[in-house]
Amino acid sequence: MKREVLKSLALKAKNRMIHKSQNDNFGLGLEGNDLHIKIISSSDDLFYSKVRSLLEDDQDIMNPIKQLMDENLMMRLDPRGREKYLLDTVEKYHKFRKMIESERALSESV
């Protein structure tokens, strides 16, 4: 299903490039360029569960980022890829940590 959606989006983008029609907005009737698409992968779900388990443990963790990173993947990357992987992991960790903390605050206030 993800492939079909991606293929459809690519085809529509190709048609817009060919016809120079930027007012189509995928037939959704949106004004301007207000359409944002985010594809959530199953790896994000796995990462979310890892962050949740790290935060639920009552242990003080010195470096949670290192525990979240895949060492095998890290060793296969070039230096620039390692840096990008590290920065992406840090960004995802902070995003999911804030999400989990806000979920806790909501559940405690109820």
Side-chain angles (χ1 to χ4, degrees):
M1 182 169 181
K2 290 179 187 177
R3 287 183 182 168
E4 293 171 354
V5 171
L6 187 59
K7 187 175 181 179
S8 172
L9 290 172
L11 182 62
K12 288 179 182 180
K14 180 181 176 184
N15 287 335
R16 280 195 315 273
M17 293 293 288
I18 291 171
H19 301 293
K20 302 292 182 190
S21 168
Q22 296 182 355
N23 296 328
D24 186 29
N25 287 324
F26 302 108
L28 298 174
L30 296 174
E31 298 295 325
N33 293 326
D34 293 333
L35 185 62
H36 298 282
I37 297 173
K38 180 179 180 184
I39 298 175
I40 301 173
S41 66
S42 61
S43 65
D44 284 347
D45 292 336
L46 179 62
F47 193 86
Y48 176 82
S49 64
K50 285 181 180 181
V51 172
R52 180 177 280 286
S53 67
L54 281 176
L55 294 176
E56 286 177 352
D57 290 342
D58 290 333
Q59 300 174 6
D60 289 331
I61 300 171
M62 294 299 282
N63 191 355
I65 304 300
K66 181 173 170 109
Q67 292 185 6
L68 295 170
M69 294 176 72
D70 183 6
E71 292 292 326
N72 292 330
L73 175 63
M74 186 80 156
M75 291 302 142
R76 290 190 308 244
L77 296 173
D78 62 340
R80 189 173 188 158
R82 288 180 188 160
E83 183 177 333
K84 182 179 181 335
Y85 180 62
L86 174 66
L87 294 174
D88 288 344
T89 303
V90 170
E91 181 182 341
K92 285 170 56 174
Y93 171 72
H94 286 295
K95 179 179 76 169
F96 287 133
R97 188 173 125 209
K98 285 181 182 181
M99 187 185 310
I100 291 168
E101 288 173 353
S102 65
E103 288 173 0
R104 283 184 186 167
L106 284 174
S107 67
E108 290 174 0
S109 66
V110 172

